[in-house]
Amino acid sequence: MFGRKLKTLYGFRVLQICLICLGVISVPGAMPGNASGGSDGNPLGSYVSTYTHLVYENYLDSWDRARRLSSAIESLLDDPNPQTLEAARMAWIASREPYGQTEAFRFYGGPIDYFDEEKGVEGPEGRMNSWPLDEAYIDYVMGNPSAGIINDATIALNGATILGLNQIDDDRYVSTGYHAIEFLLWGQDLSLATAGDRPVEDFVAGSSANDRRRDYIKLVTAQLVQDHEFLANEWAPGRDNFATEFEMLPPQAALGQILTGLLTLVEFELASERLGVALDSGDQEDEHSCFSDNTHNDFIYNARGVENVYFGRYSSYQGVGLDELVRDLDPDLGKKMEFAIEETRLLLEGIHVPFDAMLASPMGSAGRAHAEQAFASLMRQGELIKEVGLLFGLVIHSSDGDAG
């Protein structure tokens, strides 16, 4: 049912588009003899099967954490007090761990971020994780107590309305997703020393603004859970869905999409957009999870997602890793790639917390120097991902994910 719905929406154009549209060019005759063609007994085909399974396990975990977040928010609304507010915040932070790892599955037009221009439909990523966010678009901010959709009683609050208002006229006009929920739970972060500190009284029923805020956070959280369910179902094994169609691709084509996702996350989204832009501007508004001061963990989970895909694992699951195939074909490249992954992990784990305090530090500060080293490590890792592609006869380029 979800698979047929997705086919109806964009006709599985991911199977129809050429590799060059995804930023991948197949090099004729460059495919290693022990990693080409076929399916049964083919090492590359086994890796693709591993990939589809770990994607499913990761989305399943993320869906579970989203449901736990929803339950924690229900508890907050049932009994608003400092303890239930803190529990909801911790549930939001916990939900980011598996979700951050799923971002390694973006950028090749899969269920998370496909786009069909002809039909005008797209995957849920833009309503799940869009940022940066203009706080005043949703709710009150310092100096403007009547700002936002919540304080505009002329706007009817329902799921369709909130989705319809997402990123209208301006990309910063984000109305839904993780960061909308984050802002509602923490409020503005007005301090370099701590995260936001929205008062729990904002969730006490009785006033028009509070009642609308309560409705708003329930609606956007329900949408987040629904989108996770969609993604988990599209990657579930043994169904008429995207995962089945993905495994039917020639293994080299599937690998091209996998590597495009990794390269784009590492080189463009994580290094350039999330780290580089913030370092250049020094602006807290360019911080990924600025209200909760959870940005450092976003970096770590994204990098872990890349590790998972390369090593063929997630949580307790271990399948066939791409690292095994690379080591067999080019042991030196395998060592370089593993070193780069480890170096990046350690550098990202060492980024100053809170991230916004580092952004406010002067040029040349120790915190900035460390973050710049992490940026450089990510870019080196991206170059090695391209080399891995060449090893399998593929020229990989970054993609914006709109592969439809």
Side-chain angles (χ1 to χ4, degrees):
M1 312 327 99
F2 276 91
R4 292 191 179 93
K5 180 179 179 183
L6 188 58
K7 285 184 180 180
T8 301
L9 289 177
Y10 71 112
F12 270 97
R13 295 183 66 183
V14 68
L15 302 180
Q16 301 166 8
I17 57 181
C18 63
L19 286 174
I20 194 169
C21 297
L22 281 171
V24 180
I25 300 172
S26 179
V27 181
M31 190 67 173
N34 64 341
S36 63
S39 54
D40 293 340
N42 169 28
L44 190 52
S46 297
Y47 171 68
V48 171
S49 295
T50 288
Y51 175 82
T52 59
H53 187 76
L54 75 85
V55 172
Y56 172 63
E57 291 289 340
N58 198 164
Y59 275 130
L60 202 63
D61 194 11
S62 195
W63 181 22
D64 176 65
R65 298 288 183 94
R67 292 197 301 267
R68 294 189 197 186
L69 170 61
S70 179
S71 296
I73 287 173
E74 287 290 346
S75 296
L76 166 65
L77 300 180
D78 287 344
D79 182 16
N81 63 65
Q83 290 72 39
T84 54
L85 176 57
E86 182 64 13
R89 289 171 174 170
M90 291 304 100
W92 185 90
I93 288 175
S95 73
R96 295 293 289 172
E97 180 175 359
Y99 183 79
Q101 294 171 73
T102 71
E103 294 206 84
F105 317 141
R106 293 177 56 192
F107 305 113
Y108 57 81
I112 181 63
D113 56 7
Y114 72 89
F115 177 65
D116 187 332
E117 186 174 2
E118 182 179 337
K119 290 184 169 63
V121 293
E122 60 187 354
E125 199 281 332
R127 63 175 180 259
M128 293 178 75
N129 198 42
S130 287
W131 71 284
L133 178 154
D134 181 351
E135 305 99 310
Y137 189 61
I138 294 177
D139 201 357
Y140 75 85
V141 294
M142 186 174 66
N144 192 351
S146 60
I149 298 167
I150 285 171
N151 291 289
D152 186 350
T154 67
I155 300 175
L157 287 186
N158 56 62
T161 299
I162 293 174
L163 287 180
L165 291 170
N166 191 50
Q167 296 186 300
I168 297 297
D169 299 327
D170 191 316
D171 284 347
R172 289 177 179 258
Y173 290 171
V174 175
S175 62
T176 188
Y178 272 112
H179 298 294
I181 297 168
E182 179 194 10
F183 171 56
L184 289 169
L185 290 175
W186 273 273
Q188 284 182 288
D189 182 5
L190 302 173
S191 168
L192 294 178
T194 63
D197 190 23
R198 181 185 291 277
V200 72
E201 288 77 15
D202 281 2
F203 295 103
V204 175
S207 71
S208 174
N210 281 15
D211 289 346
R212 287 173 62 83
R213 187 174 298 110
R214 290 164 58 87
D215 290 342
Y216 197 107
I217 196 169
K218 282 193 289 187
L219 288 165
V220 295
T221 305
Q223 182 64 55
L224 187 70
V225 172
Q226 181 180 329
D227 287 334
H228 276 92
E229 180 180 12
F230 164 76
L231 293 168
N233 277 289
E234 281 305 321
W235 285 99
R239 300 188 190 179
D240 178 20
N241 60 5
F242 182 88
T244 296
E245 298 288 348
F246 190 81
E247 287 204 61
M248 291 174 63
L249 285 171
Q252 187 188 22
L255 179 63
Q257 296 187 20
I258 293 167
L259 292 178
T260 296
L262 295 188
L263 176 63
T264 309
L265 176 60
V266 166
E267 192 175 72
F268 173 72
E269 185 72 10
L270 184 50
S272 298
E273 291 291 296
R274 298 187 180 177
L275 194 51
V277 168
L279 284 169
D280 285 344
S281 71
D283 188 347
Q284 181 190 22
E285 294 300 313
D286 288 324
E287 181 187 1
H288 191 54
S289 293
C290 63
F291 312 115
S292 61
D293 279 345
N294 195 53
T295 300
H296 60 291
N297 283 324
D298 292 332
F299 295 149
I300 292 168
Y301 302 148
N302 284 169
R304 189 181 301 167
V306 175
E307 286 188 48
N308 293 342
V309 172
Y310 187 71
F311 292 110
R313 67 193 184 204
Y314 176 74
S315 186
S316 62
Y317 171 70
Q318 177 67 66
V320 176
L322 187 58
D323 62 308
E324 302 172 46
L325 279 63
V326 172
R327 282 200 308 270
D328 286 346
L329 296 170
D330 188 337
D332 185 54
L333 178 58
K335 290 177 183 177
K336 288 179 181 178
M337 187 67 187
E338 291 176 28
F339 177 83
I341 288 173
E342 177 70 4
E343 178 187 51
T344 297
R345 180 183 67 81
L346 292 173
L347 285 167
L348 291 175
E349 287 178 352
I351 281 181
H352 182 85
V353 181
F355 187 68
D356 54 352
M358 181 275 293
L359 293 181
S361 67
M363 294 294 178
S365 68
R368 278 182 165 274
H370 184 95
E372 288 162 4
Q373 289 176 5
F375 173 88
S377 180
L378 285 162
M379 297 304 287
R380 287 193 295 272
Q381 188 175 329
E383 290 303 311
L384 289 170
I385 290 171
K386 294 174 188 176
E387 290 189 35
V388 169
L390 286 173
L391 191 62
F392 292 91
L394 298 164
V395 178
I396 309 296
H397 300 287
S398 295
S399 163
D400 63 3
D402 294 344

